[in-house]
Amino acid sequence: MLRRTESTVQLLDRVRMHLETIYRDTPLQVTPEDLARELIQVMRLDEADCTPESHVNYWTQRDSIVITYGDTLLREDEKPLVTLKTFFDSHTEGMISGIHILPFYPWSSDDGFAVLDYSSVNEFLGDWGDIQAIASSYDLMADLVINHCSSRSLWFENFLRGQDPGKDYFFTASPDDDLRAVVRPRTSPLLREVETSEGTKHVWCTFSHDQVDLDFRNPDVLRQFVSIVRQYLDNGVRIFRLDAVAFLWKIPGTNCLNLDETHEVVRLMRTLVEHANPGSLLITETNIPNRENLSYFGNANEAHAIYNFSLPPLLVNTLITGNVRHFKTWLMSMPPAQNGTTYFNFIASHDGIGLRPAEGLLSDEELDLMVETMLHFGGHVSYRALEDGQNKPYEINISLFDALQGTTAGPDTWGIERFVCAHAIMLGLEGIPGIYIHSLVGTRNDYQRVQNTGAYRSINRHQWQYDELEALLNREDTTHAQVFSRIKELLSIRGRQAAFHPNATQFTLHLGDNICGFWRQSIDRRQSIFCITNVSAEMLPLSLCDINLIGTDEWVDLVSGTQFQSREEVLELQPYQTLWITNKADYAGT
């Protein structure tokens, strides 16, 4: 029975209103108020009496997250989750605040994103005790694979048999439905024909035929996922990545993307999570054009953070062309995140470099040139199906280190500098940085893994033997050690600067087509940092007059330690050099 305090009554009203919006066109067997009571009890919010504050930033400049699979690092006779924690405990020295462990559940395909059982840890990786151990030392980010699950899951087997749980869990449609407008990231048929105890049905498969889409019109599916969220919270998960959430709600005849009901489900999840554990965060993973992606902030009442999907293709384009014009235009168009929300910045991940988020920002000719360059650097291209039956490049599959080994003119000797430069730009931007573990250690394309799996994305999912990686990181002459050392140093510097708070002010600077520049100012306005990067392979002059340094302050470059004596100085920027020029070095704020 729900305790009736003032805060729980308010919560009940909020949850009920979310549900009325979600199910306004869907008949329910229970009233929205009764369903609201059930969800509140599942989340055990009836035991609490708290109302979370709004517009609170639960992050600082010291926050950064490493993205990794649970089995990226392997050591004989040791569970990979134990090995993973050992690596970060030994090597990151407090510079990493969080770890995003990609799906650590039992799975059947797509390296974890076809989930067999949401309530278990893949026994090869470890157990819930290992997850809790990581969560005790780091902010743990986990995937809520909410759009679909494995066709070999118990839920789907029960769907085929007409049994619970699962009987009505999956979205079905007719081949005669108007599905021409449906937006998809794959080229496989949308519908999969299956035989069930009730006859032939066609299940909806946005991604693959082993990943069957769940039907949130059935409130039992919602109940299941609220229960899963509660379990993850109990095991130490603080940050929830809502995987592929943009595809959640389907209405034949529409594009089935970013529908109003989908946004309301995100709002509901935020309400439940923030009441269960203020400080827990939702991050939406929506690999879609930029304007649509921004919509998941809502009015600071949906995602706490959104994946900044336009950043990877735009930054790669900038560095292979040596021209910052499109990147600068995009920066100027990005609205400052309200307090209580922020961007999740990344330039590499377990997936490829998405091209849809660059639509409208780069021309088709520029996208084609980037694809051609990445193919020349050993990458692959994955496609998606269009409404007219044609296929269009959807993402580039390549390790970031290989993607930045040269320019559109071909490979050159500036690969390491260009690669570190990309991270320096990202680390300076408004938002929380997410660094893929393979970028942290400079991993190259893994062609053998592609051959073994037959999946292009495997090119950037190398598995390291722990002792081999250790040996490489301990040798100063290796690329891996040089990259690791320099990115860690940038992270260390970043964490000490109040002007790098994820919500600190950001303005774009206009320094020509070959120099990327933006200004950050701390929330208390006491520290300024001018982030300036030469994005070309040529030496370039920079006059300090052009960045309007205040003459009464003393200015220093945080990266090199160089002090500037005069605003009239003209600097020679080395190829791919980054300056972080500040008036208050190592100022962490008040």
Side-chain angles (χ1 to χ4, degrees):
M1 197 68 180
L2 188 63
R3 290 189 303 122
R4 296 188 63 81
T5 65
E6 181 178 356
S7 60
T8 54
V9 169
Q10 292 173 349
L11 174 60
L12 179 63
D13 286 342
R14 284 185 62 182
V15 174
R16 175 183 52 77
M17 287 188 288
H18 289 311
L19 294 170
E20 287 174 347
T21 301
I22 294 168
Y23 294 109
R24 62 191 168 193
D25 297 320
T26 304
L28 290 176
Q29 299 300 313
V30 297
T31 67
E33 183 160 332
D34 286 343
L35 180 56
R37 284 194 176 89
E38 289 182 50
L39 298 184
I40 288 170
Q41 289 170 346
V42 168
M43 286 289 282
R44 300 201 303 276
L45 303 183
D46 51 326
E47 301 173 8
D49 188 12
C50 71
T51 301
E53 295 181 70
S54 61
H55 301 287
V56 174
N57 297 325
Y58 293 106
W59 43 77
T60 72
Q61 64 272 16
R62 290 178 288 276
D63 286 309
S64 58
I65 295 173
V66 172
I67 305 161
T68 180
Y69 279 102
D71 59 356
T72 295
L73 305 175
L74 302 173
R75 191 152 59 178
E76 191 172 355
D77 298 326
E78 186 172 80
K79 291 294 186 181
L81 289 175
V82 175
T83 307
L84 192 71
K85 185 174 187 298
T86 298
F87 176 81
F88 287 108
D89 288 349
S90 302
H91 289 286
T92 58
E93 302 154 4
M95 283 172 286
I96 300 298
S97 64
I99 302 175
H100 173 201
I101 306 177
L102 291 154
F104 48 78
Y105 329 110
W107 53 274
S108 59
S109 65
D110 198 19
D111 283 349
F113 287 92
V115 179
L116 288 166
D117 177 10
Y118 291 88
S119 64
S120 301
V121 175
N122 184 338
E123 63 180 14
F124 169 76
L125 297 178
D127 56 30
W128 283 114
D130 299 316
I131 292 294
Q132 292 164 8
I134 293 171
S136 69
S137 300
Y138 304 91
D139 291 330
L140 178 60
M141 180 169 164
D143 288 275
L144 191 66
V145 186
I146 195 170
N147 179 71
H148 51 263
C149 71
S150 170
S151 67
R152 285 179 269 178
S153 65
L154 176 62
W155 288 352
F156 194 69
E157 289 177 355
N158 283 346
F159 169 81
L160 298 178
R161 292 191 290 254
Q163 299 175 359
D164 288 321
K167 179 177 181 294
D168 298 309
Y169 277 19
F170 295 91
F171 197 94
T172 61
S174 167
D176 297 328
D177 289 337
D178 182 3
L179 305 177
R180 292 171 297 173
V182 175
V183 173
R184 296 185 61 230
R186 300 291 185 271
T187 57
S188 57
L190 173 63
L191 301 182
R192 172 189 170 187
E193 183 178 304
V194 295
E195 295 302 322
T196 77
S197 62
E198 299 176 354
T200 301
K201 294 187 178 182
H202 295 84
V203 293
W204 191 288
C205 301
T206 298
F207 292 91
S208 79
H209 283 189
D210 187 41
Q211 294 165 292
V212 190
D213 285 36
L214 293 150
D215 188 354
F216 275 81
R217 293 175 303 180
N218 179 355
D220 288 340
V221 176
L222 180 62
R223 289 186 188 95
Q224 286 280 12
F225 275 90
V226 170
S227 176
I228 290 163
V229 167
R230 181 67 261 179
Q231 181 187 9
Y232 292 0
L233 286 169
D234 290 342
N235 282 283
V237 173
R238 182 191 171 210
I239 307 170
F240 294 85
R241 176 185 182 268
L242 301 186
D243 175 67
V245 70
F247 302 94
L248 184 76
W249 201 271
K250 290 90 174 163
I251 301 177
T254 73
N255 65 5
C256 300
L257 187 70
N258 309 317
L259 299 186
D260 291 344
E261 292 86 349
T262 294
H263 282 282
E264 197 65 38
V265 169
V266 177
R267 294 184 194 111
L268 169 65
M269 288 294 185
R270 174 161 177 164
T271 294
L272 294 173
V273 165
E274 67 184 5
H275 277 80
N277 185 20
S280 291
L281 312 177
L282 299 184
I283 301 184
T284 47
E285 189 266 339
T286 49
N287 190 357
I288 51 180
N290 190 55
R291 185 182 296 274
E292 298 171 37
N293 191 31
L294 290 170
S295 70
Y296 282 87
F297 276 141
N299 185 23
N301 62 349
E302 292 189 37
H304 294 89
I306 62 171
Y307 267 70
N308 211 345
F309 270 107
S310 296
L311 177 58
L314 285 176
L315 191 50
V316 169
N317 175 74
T318 294
L319 292 170
I320 65 173
T321 63
N323 191 305
V324 78
R325 179 166 54 90
H326 292 307
F327 186 77
K328 185 167 62 175
T329 299
W330 170 72
L331 272 188
M332 289 188 293
S333 73
M334 294 296 280
Q338 296 185 54
N339 283 331
T341 67
T342 191
Y343 294 101
F344 184 69
N345 294 325
F346 73 106
I347 50 178
S349 74
H350 61 292
D351 291 337
I353 300 170
L355 298 178
R356 287 213 72 209
E359 292 176 6
L361 303 173
L362 298 176
S363 69
D364 287 345
E365 293 75 18
E366 288 164 328
L367 287 170
D368 288 344
L369 178 59
M370 182 160 63
V371 167
E372 179 184 336
T373 303
M374 296 300 102
L375 290 172
H376 185 55
F377 291 166
H380 299 289
V381 179
S382 298
Y383 292 84
R384 66 184 179 95
L386 300 180
E387 184 178 336
D388 61 5
Q390 300 295 310
N391 293 336
K392 185 175 184 178
Y394 172 72
E395 70 176 17
I396 301 165
N397 304 115
I398 191 170
S399 81
L400 186 64
F401 190 88
D402 280 299
L404 297 177
Q405 66 181 269
T407 67
T408 54
D412 58 27
T413 60
W414 294 104
I416 292 179
E417 297 303 324
R418 191 180 292 110
F419 184 76
V420 173
C421 154
H423 286 85
I425 292 173
M426 178 187 73
L427 291 173
L429 289 172
E430 173 189 358
I432 298 171
I435 303 177
Y436 191 35
I437 191 170
H438 290 303
S439 294
L440 193 63
V441 299
T443 307
R444 306 292 299 271
N445 289 336
D446 189 336
Y447 300 110
Q448 185 62 54
R449 192 166 172 83
V450 173
Q451 185 176 340
N452 292 345
T453 65
Y456 284 160
R457 283 180 166 178
S458 296
I459 199 170
N460 197 24
R461 297 178 180 180
H462 181 70
Q463 288 180 301
W464 280 103
Q465 292 298 320
Y466 185 91
D467 293 339
E468 177 191 1
L469 181 59
E470 279 272 284
L472 291 168
L473 295 179
N474 287 331
R475 286 177 46 196
E476 294 182 0
D477 62 334
T478 68
T479 298
H480 306 288
Q482 293 169 27
V483 165
F484 193 39
S485 174
R486 292 181 64 180
I487 292 179
K488 285 204 303 178
E489 178 60 21
L490 291 172
L491 281 167
S492 178
I493 295 170
R494 180 183 186 276
R496 301 192 298 267
Q497 318 306 321
F500 282 148
H501 187 285
N503 294 86
T505 298
Q506 177 174 296
F507 283 111
T508 306
L509 304 177
H510 299 278
L511 302 171
D513 284 346
N514 309 119
I515 297 178
C516 174
F518 50 92
W519 171 67
R520 303 295 307 279
Q521 184 184 55
S522 60
I523 294 171
D524 65 8
R525 301 186 180 182
R526 294 180 62 186
Q527 184 187 33
S528 289
I529 300 178
F530 292 89
C531 303
I532 298 168
T533 300
N534 179 356
V535 299
S536 77
E538 307 295 329
M539 290 183 61
L540 296 174
L542 172 72
S543 172
L544 294 185
C545 289
D546 292 339
I547 57 174
N548 196 29
L549 302 183
I550 298 173
T552 56
D553 288 345
E554 295 181 359
W555 297 88
V556 62
D557 172 28
L558 293 166
V559 180
S560 67
T562 301
Q563 294 186 336
F564 303 108
Q565 304 301 323
S566 169
R567 294 177 66 249
E568 307 303 319
E569 285 188 59
V570 177
L571 311 179
E572 288 290 338
L573 288 179
Q574 299 297 312
Y576 306 107
Q577 181 182 3
T578 290
L579 306 175
W580 285 345
I581 301 175
T582 185
N583 60 333
K584 288 183 179 292
D586 295 351
Y587 175 65
T590 55

